[in-house]
Amino acid sequence: MIPVAKPAVGDDEIAAVAAVMKTGMLATGPEVTQFEEEFAGYCDVEHAVGVNTGTAALHVALKALGVGHGDEVIVPAFTFIATATSVSMCGAKPVMVDVDEHCYTIDPDEVSEHLNAKTKAVIGVHLFGQSFAVEPVAEICADADVLLVEDCAQAHGALCKGKKVGGFGAAGCFSFYPTKNMTTGEGGMVTTNDAALADRCRRIANHGQSDKYLHTELGYNYRMTSIGAAIGRVQLRKLDEMNRKRQANAAYYTKYLDAPGLKTPAIRAGCAHVFHQYVTELKDAFPADRETVMAYLREKGIGSAVHYPMPVHRQPLYAGDPGVRCPVSEDLSGRVLSLPVHPGVTEENCAYIVATINGAEW
Ligand SMILES: Cc1ncc(COP(=O)(O)O)c(C=O)c1O
């Protein structure tokens, strides 16, 4: 089976973990600090704070920015649930808005329409490895005096107008879950150019501790482990190469897939897409339904997945707000289909997948 996702870890990561284990420093230690510095350097930001998941990165960043009860935070409806639940975890209300039908990222017009006096922040998601339309969203936020937070969980190394994601807003939040463009096992990182914000994130992620056993605010145990950081440092060195492989696989699919009604991913002008996922769309002209396609691919040894089958505002958790309308997200969730694009997919695999799809008689 060609899996739809697979972490690219090997002997280098194993050696790095073994070396850390021999030091006896298993929880947060110097390895984490080194990883933070290297990751900040990679993203071209001043500060990076390592945490234990991408969800924790979003939660601490929002808390550190003062998001709380009575606030609203605008999020796209078409994303992984954690973009919204991190807002709820702060006691604030996530306001789901629609995405653009080409690149599937937050629609700037929708952001403008949903701003009000309670809006404290906007979270733009760099979805599937592609930057959202940063310029218009940042401009809307600046005009309205609202904070911009980037959810970079799926876009390590992605570029918007030549600049890495993670440095456009007040904070950038990354995930290092095993399926992501780089991993630490579980892990996350907040990036920022604001030293005070970085300090506050660090404090909140460490029990709200401002000095040894002195707790000045409500915090959590969201610390990154040295073991995770050791894996992350090796992965960061390989990230550009792994992203290039993802891009080459994606380019192959886009060039050769020619089944009728199969929409291949759009790339936003001026942006470098790093293909966390290669997400196709089965338009009306496509001759089979998604379940049939997935079953057929599975039979042929090809993994596929749906990112995401239900938009956030339709989730049972949030379905209490019947006024929310996001028709593009709703339509997309019924049509999208992700194909294997990770660095472990060979050109031979790509050719087999293309031939299987193009030649299928559903
Ligand atoms: C867009 C997005 N935001 C946030 C997260 C949360 O990251 P984690 O799973 O590391 O908590 C993910 C992870 O899948 C994600 O894809």
Side-chain angles (χ1 to χ4, degrees):
M1 177 70 85
I2 304 168
V4 74
K6 186 175 174 216
V9 290
D11 291 344
D12 295 342
E13 286 80 359
I14 292 168
V17 169
V20 166
M21 291 193 76
K22 283 181 193 155
T23 69
M25 186 70 82
L26 304 187
T28 302
E31 198 75 18
V32 175
T33 310
Q34 277 166 330
F35 181 39
E36 288 172 341
E37 285 171 11
E38 288 161 8
F39 197 77
Y42 179 85
C43 295
D44 262 331
V45 295
E46 296 290 323
H47 310 278
V49 179
V51 290
N52 59 359
T53 62
T55 309
L58 284 161
H59 188 197
V60 294
L62 293 171
K63 289 278 289 181
L65 288 165
V67 172
H69 288 277
D71 293 331
E72 292 187 359
V73 176
I74 294 176
V75 302
F78 195 58
T79 181
F80 181 64
I81 191 75
T83 312
T85 51
S86 58
V87 176
S88 304
M89 286 157 76
C90 295
K93 180 181 177 193
V95 174
M96 289 68 153
V97 304
D98 218 346
V99 296
D100 86 81
E101 61 186 327
H102 305 293
C103 294
Y104 314 150
T105 54
I106 194 163
D107 181 342
D109 292 339
E110 283 274 300
V111 173
S112 296
E113 273 170 38
H114 288 81
L115 283 172
N116 66 45
K118 291 184 182 167
T119 312
K120 176 90 177 179
V122 174
I123 306 181
V125 180
H126 302 301
L127 195 71
F128 303 143
Q130 163 140 272
S131 157
F132 62 89
V134 173
E135 270 177 359
V137 176
E139 205 178 303
I140 292 163
C141 289
D143 288 350
D145 201 14
V146 157
L147 297 159
L148 175 62
V149 173
E150 298 172 74
D151 183 336
C152 311
Q154 305 185 357
H156 319 66
L159 302 175
C160 179
K161 306 278 160 68
K163 188 169 140 64
K164 295 250 172 65
V165 301
F168 289 105
C173 303
F174 291 82
S175 162
F176 301 123
Y177 185 73
T179 58
K180 299 296 195 285
N181 293 50
M182 61 172 283
T183 187
T184 61
E186 293 271 13
M189 191 78 83
V190 180
T191 52
T192 181
N193 288 309
D194 179 340
L197 185 75
D199 282 350
R200 185 143 194 236
C201 287
R202 214 177 283 289
R203 205 160 54 235
I204 294 171
N206 186 23
H207 299 291
Q209 179 172 272
S210 51
D211 211 340
K212 183 109 177 135
Y213 298 131
L214 181 69
H215 305 274
T216 42
E217 64 184 312
L218 179 63
Y220 306 84
N221 180 355
Y222 281 167
R223 294 179 306 242
M224 175 176 272
T225 67
S226 294
I227 295 172
I231 301 170
R233 292 184 70 201
V234 176
Q235 287 270 293
L236 183 59
R237 289 197 285 275
K238 298 180 179 173
L239 176 60
D240 285 342
E241 188 192 324
M242 293 192 291
N243 280 344
R244 274 195 292 275
K245 183 72 176 105
R246 286 175 182 273
Q247 288 164 334
N249 288 341
Y252 189 101
Y253 288 144
T254 297
K255 183 167 178 192
Y256 294 111
L257 279 172
D258 65 2
L262 186 72
K263 178 184 177 286
T264 54
I267 299 185
R268 174 167 283 115
C271 294
H273 194 319
V274 292
F275 288 97
H276 166 56
Q277 299 293 351
Y278 185 88
V279 179
T280 64
E281 205 186 314
L282 307 185
K283 296 289 200 186
D284 288 342
F286 195 81
D289 66 39
R290 189 166 65 192
E291 286 312 309
T292 306
V293 177
M294 292 180 82
Y296 181 78
L297 292 177
R298 202 175 312 121
E299 205 179 284
K300 300 286 178 190
I302 300 166
S304 62
V306 176
H307 303 102
Y308 296 94
M310 189 183 281
V312 175
H313 65 291
R314 288 280 181 238
Q315 293 288 344
L317 172 65
Y318 291 121
D321 200 344
V324 182
R325 303 213 55 74
C326 298
V328 177
S329 302
E330 283 160 30
D331 187 55
L332 283 173
S333 55
R335 297 181 184 277
V336 284
L337 180 67
S338 307
L339 300 176
V341 74
H342 56 85
V345 177
T346 63
E347 195 173 329
E348 199 183 4
N349 294 151
C350 289
Y352 171 66
I353 291 169
V354 166
T356 305
I357 294 173
N358 287 352
E361 286 176 16
W362 314 101

